[in-house]
Amino acid sequence: MPRFSIIVPCFKVQGFLAECLDSVLEQSYRDIEVIAVDDCSPDGCGEIIDAYAARDPRVKALHLPENAGLGRARNAGMPHASGDYLFFLDSDDTLTPGALRAMADRLDETSDPDVLVFDYARTYWWGGTRRNVLAHVLAEAGEGTFTVAEHPEVLDLLMVVWNKVYRREFVQEGGFEFPPGYYEDTPWTFPVMLSAGRIAALDRICLNYRQRRQGNILSTTSRKHFDIHDQYERVFAFVDSRPELASWRPYLHRKMGEHCLDILAKPDRLPPRDKGEFFRRTAEMFREHKPAGATVDGELRLLEGGYPAYLVKRQAGRVAGEAGRRALLVRKAAAGRVKRGYAAAHARRSLDPDLAVYSAFSHRGVLGDPAAVYRKAREIAPHIRGVWVVRSEEEAAQLPDGVEHVLLDSLPYRRVTARATYFVNNVNWPGTLVKRPGSVHIHTHQGTPLKYMAADLLTKPGARHGVDVPQMLRRADRWDYSLVANIHSELVWERAYPCHFTSARTGSPRNDVLVDAREEDGAAFRERHGIPADHTVVLYAPTRREYRRGGHVDRVDLARFAADLGEDHTLVVRLHPSLSTGPARGLGLSDLHRRGVLVDATDELRVEDVMLASDVLVTDYSSLMFDYANLDRPIVVHADDWPAYAASRGAYFDITAEPPGHVSRSYRELAWLLDSGHWRDEESARLRSSFRTRFCEFDDGRAAERVVRNLMLGESMPSPSPLVRVPGPATGHDALTPSS
């Protein structure tokens, strides 16, 4: 008996069907059966599923004699299912890598619940991806099982069939089946969820929900949308047959009204001539099923009036919206005039020679190179008042004690930026900030560049998407100094930013703590994340990909990687900052962190702490490798898609030809390097030494001091001294011992 029976109804999806089936059959978890139901499709769906069934015994092809519709096609597949769990997968959607394994593990953790609810992401025809905005509901559901009465928020999730798997015996005992017509998921999902005694949640994106440009049934203008009324009648009939569910009637009554009004408001659902009839039918149902004493508020009050009143309200809303948009434009124009007037007024006042303004990573807090300069200035130039710009109160709440700050674009922000002499940032300041004569703008960048930046992106249209290069250069015209850690960076920045700044060979201030690293420096991070002191910590830091919209591509199976490292090792993963709030976290990383399989360090504010706690870095093309080289600890470059990456983003040199350590071009090679011990052999040390000589030449542990003394205090400080390194933890014990 397989663990999952995956039922895939097929109708006019021949362009998507192979991708759907491949996403299932290529899963690492193989204890499945696939029941592909050809719903008398007029295209090649039948032949496609026959071909899959012929070459994979896990696939059963079922051909219906006539078109039954999506719901009944699912029903037709259920008698053929023998698995523990039923999974209804639409044939234009796809599973994410590792999805079935994650589901199976979660089912085992929760001792086979009636229903498992998982997360999904919308994938758009133009390449965009957007995670379910209510994903937090799954994260907040807890470790165990629950009922909808205990966590009613789960009913706020999209009420569809395909974001859940169902215990087959539970479905059979409940007699659940799909009705004909549109919105067939509604009278399935509500009865199932309300009846389930044990529900579990999986906070992981397991399915890509394809948003088709055309061909989506629910986006087709038709009277078939009237089916929604019959579907809710079935829901109410189910509740009426179960007295113990009577308390849910007010919720379902409200849900029905909201759902129908949403359909009515959609411009592409109902024929215009039928909208009045739809409204009247909805209003009748709303009155008929209204529970005694139920209150009606908000937009639902429209259903207690007539259709003409509804139209007046809708038109008023559109007019108000347009008026609001116009008013917003007027307010923005007025605000711009106020800001310009405010700046002009302060321009008549002298600069404050003892005021410095700092920002990092688009105003996220005391981070990176600017933070290192700030701390050093407080130490050796305490008379210089340092003020940080943060983008919100949330970031402000995370600032260390005693740090003065202003919110971006607030009145205090305008005051300090109008008077400050020193501006330190690793991202360009907003275009509205006017550089006054006598002010000193110090741009620290965000490390040594491997990939194309700024003006060099003009030759890479894919990588340039969403980047206004001319505006970027106009903002860079305000720079006085550009900090560099090596000659390579100096040449790149002067080419990528054709502006009038001076390159300052200071080194990278944030790397001072790496140059002077001691073995105990990473202890706090390890203790915070429960990492045993004797574990070897492998830091995996992948970068974003420009050849994939959204930037995230799974190059390594993290669960497998963590397991292959062995029991005495801890895998720490840090995603690129631009991926921290997107679907990448939900594609397994958050779930694996929750289960203790690995440590997700993406949200760690200080990347320096993460590096200090690790023994070896595994990365692809992240600039983190240039900083990490200062630790003189092993680095492995996993370059399995280097040609595609270099072609799409552009690179200043071939990292596979001049690497900081061994290079793997497949997961098998990566696993072999770590298992065999070659990751830390003499060749690895030779490559790292050559890399450090080239890219860490100005990092001597005094970069921040050099910035403060030379660029802020006007003193003269000697050039960087020769490289001196303290051995890091990776040389202190035999890590990643080869397995027997």
Side-chain angles (χ1 to χ4, degrees):
M1 178 185 297
R3 190 60 163 155
F4 295 106
S5 292
I6 304 173
I7 298 175
V8 186
C10 311
F11 184 75
K12 292 185 177 180
V13 288
Q14 64 177 8
F16 307 111
L17 182 54
E19 184 182 2
C20 171
L21 294 175
D22 287 344
S23 77
V24 174
L25 299 173
E26 293 174 4
Q27 294 275 313
S28 59
Y29 189 85
R30 301 183 60 80
D31 188 17
I32 64 172
E33 65 178 2
V34 177
I35 302 167
V37 183
D38 171 20
D39 190 17
C40 200
S41 184
D43 59 7
C45 287
E47 290 80 1
I48 292 172
I49 64 174
D50 283 342
Y52 273 86
R55 64 175 179 260
D56 193 319
R58 295 174 298 169
V59 179
K60 301 177 183 178
L62 179 63
H63 299 273
L64 302 186
E66 59 183 20
N67 179 249
L70 182 57
R72 289 183 171 177
R74 290 168 178 161
N75 291 341
M78 279 197 278
H80 299 269
S82 60
D84 297 329
Y85 280 85
L86 300 176
F87 182 5
F88 300 99
L89 177 64
D90 286 355
S91 48
D92 54 353
D93 296 335
T94 57
L95 296 186
T96 61
L100 292 179
R101 166 58 65 185
M103 293 181 201
D105 289 346
R106 187 71 177 123
L107 292 172
D108 290 342
E109 288 177 355
T110 52
S111 302
D112 287 3
D114 296 328
V115 180
L116 173 67
V117 188
F118 53 81
D119 201 10
Y120 66 91
R122 295 176 187 267
T123 57
Y124 295 87
W125 61 270
W126 42 267
T129 302
R130 181 167 62 88
R131 189 177 187 180
N132 168 24
V133 295
L134 294 179
H136 63 88
V137 171
L138 298 173
E140 295 164 359
E143 294 290 317
T145 60
F146 56 90
T147 64
V148 290
E150 293 167 333
H151 285 288
E153 311 84 33
V154 74
L155 293 179
D156 293 331
L157 296 171
L158 197 61
M159 283 290 102
V160 291
V161 66
W162 43 256
N163 64 348
K164 309 170 186 73
V165 294
Y166 313 85
R167 189 166 59 84
R168 185 167 60 90
E169 291 182 356
F170 163 71
V171 171
Q172 290 174 338
E173 291 167 0
F176 301 115
E177 63 179 9
F178 294 92
Y182 281 16
Y183 305 100
E184 74 291 335
D185 287 3
T186 299
W188 166 280
T189 305
F190 281 120
V192 165
M193 295 297 284
L194 293 175
S195 301
R198 299 175 65 248
I199 302 170
L202 175 59
D203 179 22
R204 176 190 168 118
I205 296 173
C206 295
L207 182 140
N208 289 318
Y209 175 30
R210 189 188 301 273
Q211 305 296 286
R212 292 163 64 177
R213 185 168 181 266
Q214 55 185 2
N216 187 315
I217 293 177
L218 293 185
S219 294
T220 303
T221 303
S222 167
R223 280 187 59 88
K224 289 288 290 180
H225 293 284
F226 279 78
D227 289 352
I228 189 65
H229 300 122
D230 291 337
Q231 307 298 22
Y232 271 102
E233 289 287 7
R234 292 183 172 99
V235 174
F236 288 124
F238 178 83
V239 172
D240 288 342
S241 70
R242 308 286 179 95
E244 69 275 13
L245 300 180
S247 62
W248 287 101
R249 286 190 62 86
Y251 171 84
L252 294 170
H253 175 254
R254 183 179 188 88
K255 196 74 172 179
M256 181 273 292
E258 292 174 344
H259 197 166
C260 291
L261 285 176
D262 181 64
I263 294 171
L264 185 61
K266 291 285 195 303
D268 57 352
R269 299 291 174 90
L270 294 160
R273 66 180 180 276
D274 295 325
K275 289 189 174 184
E277 180 186 350
F278 185 90
F279 177 90
R280 288 186 288 274
R281 175 68 196 281
T282 300
E284 290 172 3
M285 277 192 67
F286 194 72
R287 289 192 296 271
E288 178 184 350
H289 292 286
K290 181 181 178 182
T295 58
V296 178
D297 54 17
E299 190 179 33
L300 290 176
R301 286 199 296 265
L302 294 172
L303 291 173
E304 296 188 330
Y307 186 58
Y310 168 82
L311 292 177
V312 170
K313 183 69 174 178
R314 289 281 299 171
Q315 182 61 27
R318 284 192 289 268
V319 171
E322 181 61 28
R325 285 190 290 272
R326 292 180 179 176
L328 179 61
L329 293 175
V330 171
R331 287 196 298 272
K332 285 184 176 181
R337 290 193 295 271
V338 170
K339 291 177 184 178
R340 289 191 292 272
Y342 191 91
H346 277 269
R348 293 191 288 271
R349 302 176 62 187
S350 60
L351 295 177
D352 184 344
D354 296 330
L355 177 59
V357 181
Y358 298 86
S359 180
F361 299 105
S362 299
H363 322 297
R364 288 179 53 214
V366 184
L367 303 168
D369 292 303
V373 175
Y374 167 76
R375 287 190 287 266
K376 185 58 66 172
R378 294 188 68 175
E379 175 189 335
I380 65 178
H383 63 282
I384 297 180
R385 173 190 169 203
V387 180
W388 281 83
V389 178
V390 292
R391 60 186 176 183
S392 69
E393 292 289 359
E394 181 179 353
E395 275 77 21
Q398 298 180 32
L399 295 175
D401 293 339
V403 173
E404 185 178 357
H405 73 277
V406 294
L407 295 182
L408 179 67
D409 213 31
S410 65
L411 182 58
Y413 164 81
R414 293 194 287 273
R415 285 174 179 161
V416 298
T417 55
R419 296 290 313 284
T421 294
Y422 307 105
F423 292 79
V424 184
N425 202 341
N426 63 2
V427 177
N428 264 322
W429 292 97
T432 54
L433 191 152
V434 178
K435 175 177 170 58
R436 293 186 60 187
S439 64
V440 178
H441 283 240
I442 301 170
H443 193 76
T444 70
H445 301 283
Q446 297 180 41
T448 294
L450 169 63
K451 56 192 176 188
Y452 279 9
M453 304 292 289
D456 290 333
L457 290 174
L458 294 173
T459 63
K460 297 292 180 180
R464 195 179 71 243
H465 179 76
V467 178
D468 188 337
V469 174
Q471 182 187 65
M472 182 184 293
L473 299 182
R474 286 193 296 272
R475 294 180 178 184
D477 285 332
R478 296 173 297 197
W479 301 353
D480 293 290
Y481 296 102
S482 166
L483 306 190
V484 298
N486 46 66
I487 295 297
H488 163 79
S489 294
E490 182 172 319
L491 296 176
V492 166
W493 298 138
E494 292 184 3
R495 166 182 149 176
Y497 293 96
C499 305
H500 298 289
F501 56 80
T502 298
S503 293
R505 298 180 178 181
T506 58
S508 293
R510 68 176 179 178
N511 288 344
D512 289 348
V513 296
L514 305 181
V515 174
D516 299 325
R518 301 163 299 175
E519 287 195 23
E520 62 268 25
D521 286 344
F525 175 90
R526 290 183 178 225
E527 182 177 355
R528 186 163 65 252
H529 291 282
I531 302 174
D534 61 345
H535 267 213
T536 295
V537 176
V538 179
L539 171 58
Y540 176 57
T543 193
R544 63 179 291 117
R545 283 359 187 229
E546 269 65 30
Y547 61 76
R548 176 72 62 84
R549 185 177 292 275
H552 179 69
V553 178
D554 278 321
R555 307 305 309 179
V556 171
D557 183 330
L558 296 179
R560 178 182 178 186
F561 191 22
D564 288 346
L565 289 174
E567 296 180 353
D568 297 332
H569 313 91
T570 296
L571 177 62
V572 175
V573 179
R574 184 177 177 87
L575 297 179
H576 189 277
S578 66
L579 303 175
S580 63
T581 59
R585 303 287 284 282
L587 285 167
L589 182 55
S590 297
D591 181 50
L592 294 173
H593 176 84
R594 176 188 62 81
R595 292 163 49 201
V597 175
L598 50 74
V599 173
D600 177 9
T602 303
D603 289 335
E604 286 285 331
L605 293 178
R606 282 174 47 85
V607 67
E608 299 87 0
D609 293 340
V610 184
M611 290 190 282
L612 288 165
S614 66
D615 298 297
V616 55
L617 170 67
V618 177
T619 187
D620 37 36
Y621 324 115
S622 171
S623 64
L624 202 67
M625 73 178 81
F626 299 93
D627 304 322
Y628 196 86
N630 282 284
L631 288 170
D632 196 19
R633 302 176 192 174
I635 301 172
V636 175
V637 176
H638 185 53
D640 64 335
D641 65 340
W642 172 249
Y645 181 87
S648 60
R649 176 61 195 242
Y652 292 112
F653 65 95
D654 185 351
I655 190 64
T656 66
E658 304 172 79
H662 287 295
V663 177
S664 60
R665 298 183 183 275
S666 67
Y667 178 77
R668 181 178 180 180
E669 288 184 10
L670 174 62
W672 177 83
L673 278 171
L674 296 174
D675 186 60
S676 66
H678 283 280
W679 61 279
R680 53 171 297 170
D681 61 12
E682 292 184 2
E683 177 64 6
S684 172
R686 184 191 68 78
L687 292 169
R688 186 167 68 253
S689 176
S690 176
F691 191 84
R692 288 169 56 240
T693 298
R694 179 179 178 187
F695 295 110
C696 304
E697 57 186 317
F698 300 147
D699 281 334
D700 64 347
R702 302 183 68 188
E705 181 183 1
R706 192 169 289 109
V707 172
V708 175
R709 294 195 184 280
N710 289 359
L711 307 184
M712 300 174 76
L713 298 180
E715 300 176 1
S716 179
M717 184 174 169
S719 299
S721 56
L723 296 177
V724 177
R725 295 291 180 269
V726 177
T731 63
H733 59 83
D734 189 13
L736 287 171
T737 304
S739 59
S740 57

